[in-house]
Amino acid sequence: MGHDFSQYAPVGKAEAARMQAAEAARRVLGAPLPEAQVAPVVVVPPVAQPAPVAQPTPAPVVQPPPVAAPVFVNAAARTRRFPLDHPVLFEGRVFAEVHLRRPTSREVGQFFEELAEAIAADPGALVYFPVFADADGGLIPAAVLDIMDDDDRDPIMGAVADFLPRRLQALRGSAPPASPRAGGGDTAPTSST
């Protein structure tokens, strides 16, 4: 008992709405209206407003606990303080003491990079071992080490070997105690006396 829909032509929504309006007008007026007099009627179904969606409360951002930097167990044995009898002023800062300290493996690697750059730029350049630190642990600039009073410098340079790792001791060889010449050779005397 089905209905045969094959006799109907497919119709779009706008066409169907116009046909419904014409059928309604024919019933009210009792007579069919000419096609031209029927105004197209567009039926727009109401658009359902979406229900307000509750915004999820953002989860609190959990910061991982700060990772503590590794430290040497016996850090005091890795450092020795030398107060200067003749402090040096450089770039607005007074250097009143030198701390000799064993460099970290990262500092040794950086030293070898700096040494290679110095050799490329000037084979006779002096590059200090990374063992001369200030009270805050930062490396002392070469300009400060160069101008240091000899009475302050001598005991410091005499103790340098105690703070050099094996890789740097191998470089030290016959070079001056502070650092090797970038080209690796010894320097000639600067005076004849």
Side-chain angles (χ1 to χ4, degrees):
M1 278 223 181
H3 187 68
D4 181 19
F5 291 99
S6 63
Q7 63 185 349
Y8 301 109
V11 177
K13 289 182 181 180
E15 182 66 26
R18 195 169 68 222
M19 289 171 52
Q20 286 176 343
E23 180 62 28
R26 187 185 59 73
R27 275 190 239 133
V28 171
L29 298 175
L33 291 174
E35 191 71 27
Q37 292 180 349
V38 178
V41 176
V42 177
V43 178
V44 177
V47 176
Q49 294 294 328
V53 177
Q55 295 295 327
T57 304
V61 176
V62 178
Q63 296 291 335
V67 178
V71 294
F72 290 101
V73 175
N74 192 2
R78 299 176 54 84
T79 306
R80 184 169 164 202
R81 181 178 165 264
F82 291 85
L84 301 180
D85 293 331
H86 307 279
V88 176
L89 175 65
F90 180 67
E91 293 183 348
R93 184 168 170 210
V94 175
F95 292 86
E97 59 188 14
V98 172
H99 293 254
L100 284 183
R101 65 172 175 77
R102 285 185 61 86
T104 64
S105 58
R106 174 178 285 168
E107 290 170 331
V108 172
Q110 290 172 342
F111 169 77
F112 281 111
E113 289 175 10
E114 290 173 15
L115 187 61
E117 290 173 10
I119 289 171
D122 177 11
L126 179 65
V127 179
Y128 285 99
F129 289 130
V131 295
F132 306 97
D134 60 20
D136 298 328
L139 294 177
I140 293 180
V144 172
L145 296 172
D146 288 343
I147 197 172
M148 193 180 302
D149 186 274
D150 195 56
D151 288 342
D152 286 333
R153 183 182 171 103
D154 191 48
I156 294 169
M157 295 306 169
V160 166
D162 297 338
F163 294 90
L164 295 179
R166 285 183 212 95
R167 287 197 296 167
L168 295 181
Q169 286 181 10
L171 277 181
R172 191 168 161 260
S174 63
S179 295
R181 289 279 165 195
D186 289 335
T187 58
T190 56
S191 68
S192 60
T193 56

